[in-house]
C-alpha cells in the first residue's frame, strides 16, 4: 500500500501542487487501496476509475501549465449515492431507483468538479438516508473499519467507512438527523452538518426537505473545513439556500484559539442511557477544552427531550410526500406491468417491491401523521415543538458560544443487532436531532476509543446558524488536545492494530509518520 | 390509539404501497410503538406556541420570468421504463382524478 | 342520454338553484411556475421539460415572480384582500400526469381572499362573492391509446409533460344563492367578466376552448324557501361560455327530476358533452385525503403593503367601468347594450370602432348578422371567423356606396372561407353596386316599358307604387344597384 493514502487531504493537495507527486499517482494509489480493502469494507456502490484518472491527468496538465488551482485540487473523494452525478447511477441505496442514470448534476457535484476534486465513486448509504447503520441499503452491508463485525453508522455510513479505511481522502454526505455526525463518531472522523441552507440541496435526493443538508467528512478538522468551503454557498436553484457569505471555517480550523470561549454542556444530552465509555471520553474532552482556555458551564435545554418525537413526526411526514414520485411512471423500476394491470396497481406493486422495511415504516407513519383528523395532534404539534427547541437554542446561545454533548449515546453496535428494533435504532440520533430541527450547525470530533469495547467515541459541538466557524475553532482545539493526550490522532490507533491487519493484507505501520506530519501542519 | 393491521392496510393504500398480510401484521405493532413514543409532543404543544415549518426564516425567494434551456426529448425520456413516440408510456388509468 | 328531465320553468317553480364556480386561469408567463421551461404550446412532446417540472429526484422548485404578481393583481381586480404572509402547500395524491405525485398549491393561506365581482344579466345586477384566489401548477397531458381515445377502456396512456408546471390561478366563489331562473346566465356572465378581467390585466389570453381558462360549475337545488343547501354536482370539461349556460340548464332539469322522484342527488363530478348533456363522472361521496402541509422546499411569500400598492397602480380600467364609458361614448340605448352584452360583443365592437367603423354599424354587424352565424356554427362570437378589422373594412365599402348590406353579407361568406380581404373579395367576385346612371336608366326604361300600369299609378301620385319598378330594376341588376338612386331616377323620369 502506498503511504500516499495515509496523507491528509490538505497535505496531498500540497504535495500535488508542489509537484512532489502527481494527481494521477495519488488517485491510482487510492484505487490500489480500494482494491485491497473494499472486499472487507464494502463501502462503494459504484467506482469510476477511468474518469477519476482522466480528471487527475487534467489536474496535472493544468499544474504543468502553471495554473493556480484550489486548495484540494487532485484529492480523491467519495460521494454519497444521494447526489446526482451524470455518468454514474444514482440509487440512493434503494431497489426502486436501481439503474437510474440522472440526466443532471447536483450543485455540490458541480462545485466539487470546479474545485478539481476527484470523485472516485459513489458510496453506500441507508435506503433514502433512512437509518443509522447503513444496513437498510438495498445493495450491501458496509463494515466499520475499526471492527468489521460492527456497523459504520448511517445514513452516510459508506462515506465514513471509505474515509476511515483510507480508500479516499475526503467524502461528502448528507445530514438529516445525524447522518453525517453519527457515522463520523463511530469511525473516528470529523463530520460536519453545516447550517441548514448554507449548502445547496439541488441534486440531493430528498429525504426530509426541511432538515436535509449536505456536509463534509474529513480525517482532520482542517480537511473538513477545506471541503466545507469548496461545496458551500448560495445556490439560486434552491429556494431555501441562504444568500450569505460562508463563515471563514478554514481560518478557524487553522487557528483553534478558544481562550475565553464559553462552552455549554447540554444537561439533557447525557446521563442515563449513555454508555459509560462514551461519557468518560466526553468528560475528558471537556477537561482538554478547559485547559485550552475555555469556560465550561452546564446549560439546560428543557424541550430537547421532545426532539426525538418531533423529529419522527416531521421527517416521516415530509418523507411520505417526497417519496411519492417513485411511482414507476417516469424512471426507476416498474413491477407488474403485464399490459392488463392499471397504473395504480403497478404503482402499488412497484413501491411494495422497491421500498425496504424502514422506508415503508416511515412512509406509513408520515401518511398517518398528515392524514385528516390527525394532522393537529401529530404534525401540527411537532412543528410547535420545533419552535420550542429553537427557543431553547436561542436562550442557550445568549449565554454561551457553543453547546456540546456526546455525538451519540453509544459507540457502534454489532451488525444486525438493532435491525428489527426501530426505536433502539432511532435513539442513536438522540443528540444530533435538535440541531437539524433548529437548522443550526453542528459537528462531531473524534475524542478517543471507549474503554468498554475499543470503538471510537465522538464529541458533538453545536453553534448558531451561520456561525459554522465556531465548530472548526473548537474542533481544532479539541483535535490538538486529543493528539497531545494520545501522541497522535485517534485514527493512528487503527493503523497497525489487529483491525488494520484484518482490513488489509499488508501491515503499513511504516507509513505511520505521514499523518503526524499532516497534523503538525494543522498545529502550525 | 392502537394501529390495527386494517389501519395499516388503509394507510398503505393511501401511500400506494402493496403490503402482504404478513407485512401488515409485522408492521402494525412496530408503528404502534413508534406512534406512542412520539405522541408525547402534543403534551407541550400549547395553543400559544407558533408552529415552525421552515428551519430558517426567509421569505420572497423568487426567480425572474426567464426561459432557460430545457431537456431534449431523449434526455427527458432517458429514465422512462417504457416510452412511445416521444412520450412516457404508462399502464391504463382506471378512474379519473383531480 | 335517456334520462328523465323536468321542464326548466317547472323546475324553477319548485327549487332554488345555488351556484358555486371554480375557475382555473392559465397565466401567460414566459416560463413555468417553478422552473425556466417555456410555456409555449405546440412544442415536440417533453421538450419543454427539465429536472424540476419532470419531478426528477433531487430537483427543487423556485417561484416565478411574475406569476405571484399576476396572482396579486387578479386578487386586487376582484376586490380581494391580499395575504401579508402566506405559504405554498403540497396537495398529495397519486396520478401519472402529476410528476411529483403531489401538486404544489395553496391550502389554508391563499394569496388573495374575500373579494367580489359584480355582473349584470338583462339589466339586473348580481354580486358574486369571491372566497379565494390561489396559485398552483398545471399537470401534464395524457393521451389515451385504444378504447376510442377515452380514458375508459383505453389499453394504455402516453404522457407529455410540456404543460406540467404551467402557472395556474384558481378562483373560487362562495356559494351563490338568489339567482333563480337566471342562474345559468349569471354563471356565464361571471366567467365572461373574469375572462375580460384577466385579459385586461394581460395575465392570460383567457381562451376557454384552448383550456387557458377552465370552469368547474357546481350547482345544487333546494326547495324554494329552504335555507339548507342541497347536494351539489360539479360539472367539469366546460370549454365555452355557451357550455356553462347549457350545462347548468341541464343540471337544474336533471337534479329537479331526481328530487321530484324523492331521490337523492349524487355528489359527483360530471362531464359536459357538447351534444348537450352532462354524464356521470367520479363519485365524490368519500372525500379524498390530500394530506396538505406547508411546502418545505419553498420560502413563504410576504406581500408587503408597498409591493401590493405598486401592483395596484398597474391595474388597468376594469371591464365594468370601461363598459359604462364606451356605451356612453357610443350612445347605445339600454336595450342595445343588453343585446351587445348578451352577444358578448363589447370588445369586438370596440376593436371594430378602433378600426374605423361607426359604433352603430359595428353593433349592427356583430349583434345581428355575425351573432346569427355564431349561433348556427355553435361557437362563441369571437370564433365566428371574421375579425373586427375585416368588419370595419366591409363597413367601409358600404359607407363608400361600393356595396350594400346584401352584398356585404356575401363578402362575409368569402371572408370566412378565407378568400382574402373584403376589398379583394369584392373585386374578385365583382360584388359592387352599379352606380353608372346610364346602365341604371336603361334598365329603368325597360322596367317602365314592361309595367305601363305601374307607371300610370305613379303619374297619378301613388309614389309608393314605385317599389314595383325598383324591385324589377334590382332583379335585373342582380341586386348590385343602389335602390335609393334607382328611386331618384324613376321619379326624375316621371316628373
Amino acid at each position: 500500500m502506498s503511504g500516499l493514502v495515509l496523507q491528509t487531504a490538505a497535505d496531498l493537495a500540497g504535495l500535488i501542487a508542489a509537484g512532489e507527486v502527481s494527481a494521477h499517482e495519488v488517485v491510482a494509489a487510492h484505487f490500489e487501496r480500494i482494491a485491497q480493502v473494499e472486499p472487507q469494507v464494502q463501502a462503494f456502490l459504484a467506482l469510476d476509475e477511468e474518469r477519476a484518472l482522466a480528471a487527475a491527468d487534467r489536474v496535472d496538465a493544468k499544474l504543468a501549465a502553471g495554473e493556480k488551482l484550489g486548495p484540494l485540487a487532485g484529492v480523491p473523494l467519495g460521494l454519497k449515492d444521494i447526489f446526482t452525478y451524470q455518468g454514474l447511477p444514482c440509487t440512493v441505496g434503494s431497489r426502486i431507483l436501481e439503474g437510474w442514470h440522472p440526466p443532471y448534476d447536483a450543485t455540490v457535484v458541480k462545485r466539487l468538479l470546479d474545485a478539481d476534486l476527484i470523485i472516485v465513486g459513489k458510496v453506500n448509504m441507508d435506503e433514502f438516508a433512512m437509518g443509522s447503520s447503513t444496513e437498510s441499503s438495498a445493495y450491501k452491508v458496509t463494515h466499520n473499519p475499526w471492527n468489521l463485525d460492527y456497523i459504520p453508522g448511517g445514513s452516510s455510513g459508506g462515506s465514513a467507512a471509505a474515509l476511515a479505511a483510507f480508500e479516499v481522502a475526503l467524502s461528502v454526505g448528507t445530514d438529516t438527523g445525524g447522518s453525517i455526525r453519527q457515522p463520523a463518531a463511530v469511525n473516528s472522523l470529523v463530520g460536519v452538518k453545516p447550517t441548514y441552507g448554507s449548502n445547496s440541496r439541488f441534486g440531493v435526493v430528498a429525504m426530509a426537505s426541511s432538515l436535509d443538508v449536505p456536509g463534509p467528512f474529513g480525517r482532520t478538522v482542517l480537511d473538513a473545513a477545506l471541503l466545507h468551503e469548496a461545496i458551500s454557498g448560495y445556490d439560486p436553484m434552491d429556494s431555501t439556500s441562504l444568500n450569505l457569505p460562508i463563515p471563514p471555517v478554514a481560518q478557524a480550523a487553522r487557528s483553534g484559539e478558544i481562550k475565553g470561549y464559553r462552552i455549554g454542556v447540554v444537561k439533557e444530552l447525557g446521563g442515563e442511557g449513555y454508555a459509560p465509555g462514551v461519557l468518560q471520553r466526553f468528560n475528558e474532552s471537556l477537561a482538554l477544552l478547559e485547559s485550552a482556555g475555555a469556560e465550561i458551564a452546564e446549560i439546560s435545554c428543557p424541550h430537547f427531550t421532545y426532539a426525538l418525537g418531533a423529529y419522527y413526526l416531521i421527517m416521516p411526514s415530509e418523507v411520505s410526500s417526497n417519496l411519492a414520485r417513485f411511482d414507476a411512471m417516469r424512471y426507476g423500476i416498474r413491477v407488474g406491468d403485464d399490459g392488463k394491470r392499471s397504473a395504480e396497481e403497478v404503482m402499488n406493486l412497484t413501491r411494495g417491491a422497491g421500498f425496504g422495511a424502514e422506508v415503508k415504516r416511515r412512509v406509513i407513519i408520515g401518511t398517518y401523521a398528515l392524514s385528516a383528523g390527525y394532522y393537529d395532534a401529530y404534525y401540527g404539534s411537532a412543528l410547535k415543538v420545533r419552535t420550542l427547541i429553537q427557543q431553547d437554542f436561542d436562550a442557550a446561545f445568549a449565554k454561551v458560544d457553543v453547546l456540546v454533548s456526546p455525538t451519540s449515546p453509544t459507540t457502534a453496535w454489532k451488525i444486525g443487532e438493532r435491525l428489527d428494533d426501530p426505536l433502539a435504532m432511532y435513539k442513536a440520533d438522540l443528540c444530533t436531532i435538535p440541531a437539524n430541527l433548529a437548522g443550526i450547525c453542528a459537528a462531531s470530533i473524534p475524542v478517543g476509543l471507549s474503554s468498554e469495547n475499543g470503538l471510537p467515541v465522538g464529541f458533538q459541538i453545536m453553534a448558531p446558524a451561520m456561525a459554522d466557524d465556531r465548530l472548526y475553532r473548537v474542533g481544532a482545539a479539541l483535535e490538538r488536545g486529543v493528539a497531545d493526550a494520545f501522541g497522535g490522532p485517534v485514527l493512528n490507533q487503527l493503523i497497525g492494530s489487529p483491525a488494520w491487519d484484518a482490513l488489509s493484507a499488508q501491515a503499513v505501520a511504516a507509513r505511520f509518520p505521514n499523518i503526524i506530519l499532516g497534523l503538525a501542519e494543522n498545529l502550525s | 390509539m392502537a394501529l390495527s393491521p386494517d389501519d395499516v392496510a388503509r394507510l398503505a393504500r393511501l401511500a400506494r404501497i402493496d403490503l402482504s398480510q404478513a407485512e401488515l401484521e409485522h408492521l402494525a405493532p412496530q408503528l404502534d410503538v413508534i406512534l406512542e413514543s412520539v405522541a408525547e409532543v402534543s403534551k407541550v404543544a400549547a395553543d400559544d406556541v407558533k408552529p415552525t415549518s421552515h428551519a430558517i426564516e426567509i421569505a420572497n425567494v423568487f426567480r425572474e420570468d426567464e426561459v432557460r434551456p430545457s431537456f431534449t426529448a431523449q434526455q427527458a425520456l432517458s429514465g422512462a421504463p417504457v416510452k412511445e413516440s416521444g412520450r412516457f408510456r404508462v399502464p391504463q388509468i382506471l378512474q379519473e382524478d383531480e | 342520454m335517456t334520462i328523465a328531465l323536468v321542464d326548466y320553468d317547472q323546475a324553477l317553480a319548485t327549487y332554488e338553484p345555488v351556484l358555486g364556480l371554480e375557475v382555473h386561469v392559465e397565466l401567460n408567463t414566459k416560463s413555468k411556475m417553478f422552473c425556466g421551461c417555456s410555456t409555449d404550446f405546440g412544442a415536440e412532446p417533453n421538450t419543454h421539460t427539465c429536472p424540476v417540472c419532470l419531478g426528477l429526484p433531487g430537483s427543487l422548485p423556485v417561484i416565478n415572480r411574475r406569476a405571484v404578481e399576476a396572482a396579486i393583481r387578479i386578487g386586487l381586480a376582484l376586490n380581494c384582500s391580499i395575504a401579508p404572509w402566506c405559504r405554498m402547500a403540497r396537495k398529495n395524491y397519486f396520478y401519472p400526469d402529476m410528476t411529483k405525485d403531489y401538486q404544489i398549491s395553496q391550502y389554508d393561506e391563499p394569496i388573495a381572499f374575500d373579494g367580489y365581482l359584480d355582473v349584470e344579466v338583462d339589466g339586473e345586477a348580481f354580486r358574486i362573492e369571491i372566497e379565494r384566489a390561489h396559485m398552483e401548477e398545471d399537470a401534464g397531458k395524457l393521451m389515451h391509446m385504444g378504447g376510442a381515445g377515452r380514458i375508459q377502456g383505453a389499453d394504455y396512456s402516453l404522457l407529455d409533460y410540456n404543460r406540467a408546471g404551467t402557472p395556474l390561478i384558481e378562483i373560487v366563489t362562495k356559494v351563490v344563492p338568489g339567482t333563480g331562473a337566471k342562474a345559468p346566465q349569471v354563471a356565464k356572465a361571471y366567467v365572461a367578466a373574469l375572462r375580460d378581467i384577466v385579459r385586461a390585466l394581460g395575465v392570460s389570453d383567457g381562451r376557454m376552448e384552448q383550456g387557458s381558462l377552465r370552469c368547474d360549475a357546481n350547482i345544487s337545488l333546494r326547495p324554494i324557501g329552504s335555507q339548507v343547501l342541497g347536494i351539489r354536482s360539479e360539472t367539469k370539461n366546460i370549454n365555452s361560455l355557451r357550455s356553462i349556460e347549457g350545462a347548468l340548464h341541464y343540471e337544474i332539469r336533471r337534479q329537479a327530476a331526481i328530487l321530484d322522484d324523492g331521490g337523492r342527488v349524487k355528489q359527483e363530478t360530471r362531464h359536459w358533452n357538447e351534444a348537450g348533456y352532462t354524464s356521470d363522472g367520479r363519485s365524490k361521496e368519500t372525500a379524498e385525503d390530500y394530506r396538505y402541509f406547508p411546502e418545505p422546499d419553498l420560502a413563504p411569500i410576504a406581500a408587503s403593503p408597498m409591493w401590493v400598492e405598486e401592483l395596484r397602480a398597474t391595474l388597468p380600467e376594469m371591464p365594468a367601468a370601461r363598459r359604462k364609458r364606451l356605451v356612453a361614448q357610443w350612445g347605445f340605448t339600454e336595450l342595445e347594450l343588453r343585446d351587445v352584452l348578451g352577444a358578448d360583443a363589447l370588445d369586438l365592437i370596440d376593436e371594430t370602432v378602433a378600426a374605423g367603423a361607426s359604433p352603430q354599424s359595428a353593433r349592427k354587424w356583430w349583434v345581428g348578422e355575425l351573432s346569427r352565424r355564431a349561433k348556427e356554427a355553435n361557437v362563441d362570437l369571437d370564433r365566428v371567423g371574421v375579425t373586427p378589422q375585416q368588419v370595419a373594412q366591409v363597413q367601409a365599402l358600404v359607407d363608400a356606396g361600393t356595396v350594400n348590406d346584401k352584398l356585404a353579407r356575401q363578402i362575409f361568406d368569402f371572408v370566412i372561407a378565407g378568400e382574402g380581404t373584403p376589398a379583394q373579395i369584392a373585386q374578385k367576385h365583382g360584388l359592387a353596386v352599379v352606380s353608372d346612371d346610364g346602365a341604371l336608366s336603361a334598365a329603368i326604361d325597360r322596367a317602365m316599358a314592361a309595367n305601363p300600369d305601374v307607371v300610370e299609378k305613379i303619374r297619378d301620385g301613388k309614389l309608393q307604387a314605385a317599389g314595383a319598378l325598383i324591385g324589377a330594376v334590382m332583379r335585373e341588376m342582380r341586386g348590385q344597384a343602389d335602390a335609393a338612386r334607382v328611386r331618384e331616377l324613376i321619379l326624375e323620369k316621371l316628373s
Side-chain angles (χ1 to χ4, degrees):
Chain A
M1 178 203 69
S2 157
L4 284 171
V5 299
L6 296 177
Q7 301 282 350
T8 68
D11 288 352
L12 277 180
L15 294 170
I16 292 168
E20 292 179 35
V21 56
S22 72
H24 188 103
E25 289 172 82
V26 169
V27 172
H30 283 84
F31 274 101
E32 182 193 314
R33 173 66 177 174
I34 289 168
Q36 179 185 40
V37 302
E38 184 57 12
Q40 291 74 255
V41 181
Q42 297 285 309
F44 282 89
L45 290 177
L47 286 164
D48 202 13
E49 184 161 9
E50 212 171 284
R51 274 199 303 175
L53 287 170
D57 292 339
R58 281 197 299 279
V59 168
D60 292 329
K62 287 185 194 174
L63 288 169
E67 264 186 69
K68 177 97 184 66
L69 302 183
L72 292 175
V75 175
L77 167 143
L79 184 69
K80 189 178 184 179
D81 200 27
I82 202 169
F83 295 90
T84 59
Y85 175 31
Q86 294 179 79
L88 286 183
C90 180
T91 70
V92 201
S94 180
R95 192 62 66 196
I96 207 160
L97 263 190
E98 188 162 15
W100 181 58
H101 281 259
Y104 76 106
D105 289 338
T107 298
V108 163
V109 167
K110 285 205 189 92
R111 291 185 177 163
L112 289 170
L113 299 175
D114 292 347
D116 291 301
L117 278 124
I118 312 295
I119 299 173
V120 158
K122 300 196 86 185
V123 285
N124 198 18
M125 58 184 284
D126 279 300
E127 181 176 16
F128 283 102
M130 298 180 201
S132 305
S133 68
T134 312
E135 291 165 294
S136 74
S137 166
Y139 298 97
K140 53 171 64 169
V141 171
T142 297
H143 301 261
N144 187 319
W146 289 85
N147 184 331
L148 295 170
D149 298 335
Y150 284 69
I151 58 100
S155 68
S156 310
S159 309
L163 185 56
F166 297 85
E167 294 178 280
V168 290
L170 289 170
S171 54
V172 181
T174 58
D175 192 311
T176 304
S179 285
I180 287 174
R181 290 158 290 165
Q182 182 260 4
V186 301
N187 287 281
S188 194
L189 299 167
V190 177
V192 177
K193 168 225 171 316
T195 300
Y196 178 84
S198 69
N199 278 27
S200 172
R201 293 186 295 118
F202 188 78
V204 178
V205 179
M207 174 188 173
S209 311
S210 75
L211 302 164
D212 298 342
V213 62
F217 282 92
R219 287 194 292 256
T220 69
V221 172
L222 179 62
D223 283 2
L226 293 171
L227 183 53
H228 187 130
E229 285 187 348
I231 61 177
S232 293
Y234 175 63
D235 178 13
M237 298 297 282
D238 177 353
S239 300
T240 59
S241 173
L242 296 170
N243 195 352
L244 296 168
I246 295 305
V249 292
Q251 187 196 330
R254 288 196 171 92
S255 148
E257 179 51 65
I258 59 165
K259 266 196 187 48
Y261 242 60
R262 296 164 305 165
I263 293 174
V265 179
V266 181
K267 179 160 156 283
E268 288 73 14
L269 301 179
E272 212 198 316
Y274 287 70
V278 168
L279 293 177
Q280 184 194 356
R281 292 296 177 218
F282 177 71
N283 293 324
E284 284 172 8
S285 307
L286 291 177
L288 290 173
L289 289 170
E290 198 159 23
S291 59
E295 301 160 16
I296 312 291
E298 185 178 74
I299 299 277
S300 174
C301 297
H303 297 99
F304 280 19
T305 37
Y306 300 96
L308 194 67
Y311 177 78
Y312 275 94
L313 285 166
I314 292 168
M315 174 272 295
S317 297
E318 295 184 8
V319 160
S320 70
S321 177
N322 282 334
L323 269 60
R325 69 187 61 188
F326 302 97
D327 63 2
M329 299 295 115
R330 290 161 297 279
Y331 44 77
I333 62 168
R334 180 182 287 186
V335 175
D337 183 5
D338 59 2
K340 292 176 202 60
R341 289 205 180 87
S342 70
E344 185 180 11
E345 291 171 291
V346 169
M347 284 185 194
N348 284 320
L349 290 169
T350 302
R351 291 164 64 82
F355 288 149
E358 183 59 20
V359 171
K360 288 174 180 171
R361 273 195 284 265
R362 298 195 192 189
V363 167
I364 287 171
I365 288 175
T367 304
Y368 182 72
L370 289 175
S371 60
Y374 298 98
Y375 182 98
D376 292 338
Y378 289 109
Y379 184 73
S381 301
L383 293 187
K384 289 181 170 188
V385 169
R386 192 170 191 172
T387 307
L388 296 170
I389 285 164
Q390 287 184 333
Q391 289 169 356
D392 282 359
F393 272 118
D394 294 345
F397 288 128
K399 301 196 199 80
V400 297
D401 299 302
V402 297
L403 290 168
V404 300
S405 77
T407 303
S408 193
T410 69
T411 56
W413 56 89
K414 272 208 164 61
I415 290 167
E417 204 175 287
R418 300 187 186 179
L419 255 189
D420 213 35
D421 184 353
L423 274 190
M425 185 77 83
Y426 298 170
K427 288 208 166 72
D429 295 337
L430 211 52
C431 310
T432 45
I433 279 167
N436 297 86
L437 288 173
I440 63 160
C441 57
S444 180
I445 307 295
V447 289
L449 308 179
S450 163
S451 52
E452 294 167 275
N453 55 16
L455 290 172
V457 174
F459 181 97
Q460 175 175 237
I461 308 166
M462 296 170 271
M466 294 317 279
D468 305 52
D469 52 327
R470 295 186 198 174
L471 306 174
Y472 289 93
R473 179 173 295 273
V474 176
L478 190 53
E479 183 178 61
R480 268 179 227 172
V482 170
D484 296 344
F486 294 113
V490 182
L491 259 180
N492 289 9
Q493 298 175 57
L494 171 60
I495 302 166
S497 71
W500 183 261
D501 300 333
L503 206 51
S504 57
Q506 317 154 31
V508 289
R511 307 302 312 182
F512 179 90
N514 287 299
I515 202 162
I516 300 284
L517 286 180
L519 188 80
E521 196 272 341
N522 302 349
L523 289 162
S524 58
Chain B
M1 147 254 34
L3 270 188
S4 70
D6 289 355
D7 298 328
V8 178
R10 182 184 56 81
L11 292 165
R13 266 196 306 279
L14 203 50
R16 295 276 200 277
I17 298 179
D18 178 66
L19 291 179
S20 66
Q21 192 54 34
E23 277 183 295
L24 289 174
E25 278 151 18
H26 184 71
L27 269 171
Q30 285 183 338
L31 300 182
D32 220 35
V33 175
I34 295 167
L35 284 169
E36 256 162 51
S37 70
V38 297
E40 65 182 11
V41 294
S42 52
K43 284 197 237 128
V44 281
D47 297 346
D48 58 345
V49 183
K50 107 177 199 320
T52 296
S53 56
H54 295 68
I56 306 278
E57 271 192 36
I58 48 174
N60 295 344
V61 179
F62 305 128
R63 33 172 280 276
E64 297 312 315
D65 181 26
E66 292 157 358
V67 174
R68 299 234 163 282
S70 295
F71 276 154
T72 61
Q74 188 249 340
Q75 283 174 306
L77 292 155
S78 60
V82 190
K83 54 193 159 209
E84 182 175 314
S85 56
R87 296 174 173 85
F88 294 82
R89 176 171 168 162
V90 303
Q92 54 177 312
I93 296 159
L94 287 191
Q95 107 279 32
E96 188 69 80
D97 210 314
E98 281 307 283
Chain C
M1 293 296 288
T2 55
I3 171 171
L5 295 178
V6 172
D7 168 76
Y8 188 73
D9 298 332
Q10 191 191 323
L12 271 300
T14 330
Y15 304 104
E16 182 205 2
V18 176
L19 289 170
L21 298 160
E22 287 176 24
V23 172
H24 285 84
V25 176
E26 201 168 69
L27 298 180
N28 59 5
T29 51
K30 291 197 217 70
S31 64
K32 292 184 177 181
M33 184 75 198
F34 301 115
C35 66
C37 290
S38 164
T39 54
D40 291 348
F41 291 115
E44 285 297 299
N46 295 302
T47 56
H48 285 178
T49 62
C50 72
V52 178
C53 55
L54 274 182
L56 293 188
S59 66
L60 295 170
V62 184
I63 299 173
N64 182 334
R65 179 194 302 277
R66 216 162 158 286
V68 179
E69 290 175 346
I72 294 175
R73 293 173 73 229
I74 288 173
L76 292 171
L78 296 176
N79 311 290
C80 289
S81 307
I82 303 303
W85 187 87
C86 67
R87 288 171 295 188
M88 305 300 292
R90 290 189 187 178
K91 181 182 186 181
N92 293 287
Y93 66 92
F94 288 83
Y95 206 66
D97 66 0
M98 189 60 71
T99 58
K100 305 178 293 303
D101 287 298
Y102 59 79
Q103 179 190 34
I104 304 180
S105 180
Q106 294 194 285
Y107 181 44
D108 49 358
E109 299 164 359
I111 187 141
F113 55 94
D114 289 349
Y116 64 86
L117 180 57
D118 292 329
V119 299
E120 216 179 272
V121 172
D122 297 347
E124 192 182 344
F126 295 90
R127 169 156 296 190
I128 311 298
E129 306 257 343
I130 308 287
E131 183 179 302
R132 59 187 284 153
H134 74 252
M135 301 171 278
E136 59 185 35
E137 59 178 330
D138 208 344
K141 273 213 171 86
L142 275 162
M143 234 170 82
H144 303 298
M145 310 302 283
R150 303 193 61 244
I151 185 161
Q152 292 86 354
D155 302 327
Y156 62 93
S157 301
L158 297 179
L159 272 154
D160 169 11
Y161 291 108
N162 282 349
R163 194 184 64 184
T166 301
L168 294 177
I169 306 299
E170 179 174 342
I171 300 152
V172 184
T173 67
K174 297 181 178 162
V175 291
V176 186
T179 54
K182 292 208 175 102
Q185 289 161 278
V186 171
K188 177 187 171 192
Y190 166 76
V191 175
L194 257 189
R195 178 206 56 193
D196 295 347
I197 285 176
V198 297
R199 283 182 182 170
L201 290 169
V203 297
S204 171
D205 64 10
R207 287 222 168 283
M208 291 192 82
E209 71 287 347
Q210 283 176 9
S212 54
L213 191 144
R214 298 167 224 160
C215 174
D216 301 341
N218 298 324
I219 190 161
S220 64
L221 299 184
R222 63 184 176 192
I224 289 173
S226 158
Q227 291 311 307
V228 193
L229 287 175
I231 300 166
R232 66 170 204 279
S233 68
E234 178 182 24
T235 306
K236 292 181 173 288
N237 190 37
I238 302 179
N239 58 8
S240 76
L241 288 173
R242 300 168 54 75
S243 306
I244 295 173
E245 219 173 340
L248 289 171
H249 199 274
Y250 181 89
E251 274 301 292
I252 288 172
R253 300 179 61 197
R254 185 186 68 89
Q255 292 187 14
I258 295 169
L259 296 171
D260 282 356
D261 296 358
R264 183 166 164 287
V265 173
K266 231 164 98 227
Q267 182 164 343
E268 62 180 350
T269 54
R270 299 181 64 82
H271 282 260
W272 170 249
N273 304 276
E274 285 305 328
Y277 61 91
T278 69
S279 54
D280 303 20
R282 181 169 47 95
S283 166
K284 273 199 166 181
E285 296 286 330
T286 56
E288 272 135 279
D289 189 346
Y290 291 122
R291 308 185 312 282
Y292 282 98
F293 72 103
E295 169 56 276
D297 286 332
L298 293 170
I301 297 163
S304 71
M306 207 226 276
W307 189 24
V308 172
E309 288 319 307
E310 277 170 26
L311 291 170
R312 194 190 299 278
T314 68
L315 296 186
E317 178 186 28
M318 281 302 119
R322 178 159 156 273
R323 184 182 311 147
K324 283 189 187 51
R325 175 173 60 77
L326 290 177
V327 168
Q329 206 170 294
W330 296 341
F332 287 178
T333 67
E334 265 308 311
L335 194 66
E336 287 169 337
L337 172 60
R338 272 189 213 183
D339 297 345
V340 168
L341 297 183
D344 189 33
L346 191 86
D347 288 342
L348 297 163
I349 292 172
D350 189 28
E351 290 172 53
T352 310
V353 170
S358 74
Q360 284 299 353
S361 59
R363 182 190 59 77
K364 187 189 69 191
W365 287 122
W366 285 111
V367 174
E369 174 67 12
L370 296 172
S371 287
R372 187 180 55 71
R373 290 170 183 259
K375 260 200 186 55
E376 284 169 7
N378 192 27
V379 296
D380 287 335
L381 186 55
D382 59 354
R383 310 297 290 163
V384 76
V386 182
T387 69
Q389 292 68 25
Q390 289 164 329
V391 173
Q393 287 160 12
V394 170
Q395 182 58 36
L397 295 174
V398 174
D399 296 342
T402 314
V403 301
N404 55 20
D405 289 6
K406 178 167 177 297
L407 295 176
R409 282 193 283 277
Q410 294 178 40
I411 291 180
F412 282 128
D413 292 332
F414 293 118
V415 169
I416 290 168
E419 289 199 14
T421 71
Q424 294 165 340
I425 289 166
Q427 264 294 336
K428 182 169 159 203
H429 296 273
L431 298 173
V433 293
V434 177
S435 45
D436 159 11
D437 286 0
L440 285 182
S441 104
I444 290 166
D445 292 343
R446 281 191 287 280
M448 288 183 5
N451 304 281
D453 51 334
V454 176
V455 174
E456 272 316 305
K457 284 190 181 131
I458 300 170
R459 287 219 167 86
D460 299 351
K462 299 204 178 61
L463 297 183
Q464 67 274 24
L469 289 183
I470 297 170
V473 172
M474 294 301 280
R475 265 194 300 286
E476 183 176 339
M477 294 279 156
R478 298 196 320 287
Q480 305 194 2
D482 179 342
R485 181 61 186 153
V486 174
R487 182 186 180 79
E488 281 171 29
L489 290 171
I490 291 171
L491 298 184
E492 274 173 32
K493 287 176 185 286
L494 298 178
S495 59

